[in-house]
Every structure is written in C-alpha cells, then in structure tokens.
Amino acid sequence: IDVVEEFERDPESFSKRYETEQEALRHRIREARELLNDVELSGSLKKAIVDICRRFEVRGHRADFLIARTARTIAAYNQRKNVIGEDVKQAAELVLPHRITRLPFEEPKPVTEMVEGILQQSMTLATERETNEQDDAESVGFGDTKDDDSCVHKDGMRRVRKQFDVG
C-alpha cells in the first residue's frame, strides 16, 4: 500500500529511484535470452521431470515441457549452460501447483518437499545406472589379436563372438 501511495504522489521520482535496479535487471534478462538456446538439460533430469509429473498425477504432458523450459530459463538467468536439480525444483514449484488433480476443498499437496525427494531418488538411480553401464562396458574385453573371435567376460569365461557374412 505504501509503495503504491508513494508512486501516486510522485511517479517521476519514484521511477528514478528504481532506475538503476531496473536497468540491471533488463541487462540480466538480455544476457539470459542470448544464452538460453545453449542451455542443456541432461537426460537424467528429463527423466526426473517425467517422474515428478507422474508422481503428482498430472494429466497430459504440458507440465513436463513447461518444467523443462522453465528450468532452462532459470539456468540461463543464472548464467549457466547446464540445468541443475535446483532449477528443476524451482520450475516445478511454479508449474505444478495449479495442475495437480485434487478433490474439492482438499488441501494442495506440498510441492517442494515431494519434488526434492523425487529429484534425489531420480538422480541416485541415474548415477547407479551410469555406474552399471560403465561396469558392463568394462566387463567385456575382446582378444588382443586381430583374428581372435572370442572375448573374456567378467565371470572369467571365454565366449565366442559371432560374425555373420551378409553378402
């Protein structure tokens, strides 16, 4: 109320007082716009976004896309080229509350705590998946010679690679 009354009394001096802050904000937004197309969202965070929307029982896919876009925008605003979990959390807090299905007079579900938990679970699973994929890739070693058609599997057994001549 005080701010509005102050503006109404003297709009010109009110505007001048906030001019420096407004210019800094305009500059930051311009920089974010330039960076936005270069901001990347990892596959694990995309999966986390899908999981968040699924766990909140949001209908359709619009929320997924909006959380991803908003998270990229937040990262760009903060001058980063990679989206982090905190960006996804902030985006979900903006996108989800009015999209969550609930009964009349039912209290809204707490978004922040639930999103943090889902993000933590998703990122842990993604890390485990990456570790398993690396272990699998390292577990198979092919013979040293060019003509060797066998490989040694992580269980120590020698297995034959099958080659097919199609032609």
Side-chain angles (χ1 to χ4, degrees), residues 42 44-45 48 118-128:
S42 70
S44 57
L45 282 175
I118 295 167
L119 272 172
Q120 188 173 13
Q121 279 181 323
S122 293
M123 297 314 289
T124 301
L125 288 173
T127 303
E128 289 173 4

Side-chain angles (χ1 to χ4, degrees), residues 15-28:
S15 296
K16 283 182 182 179
R17 187 163 38 135
Y18 292 100
E19 191 172 324
T20 306
E21 291 174 34
Q22 290 296 306
E23 184 53 42
L25 182 59
R26 278 190 288 275
H27 179 71
R28 189 170 178 185

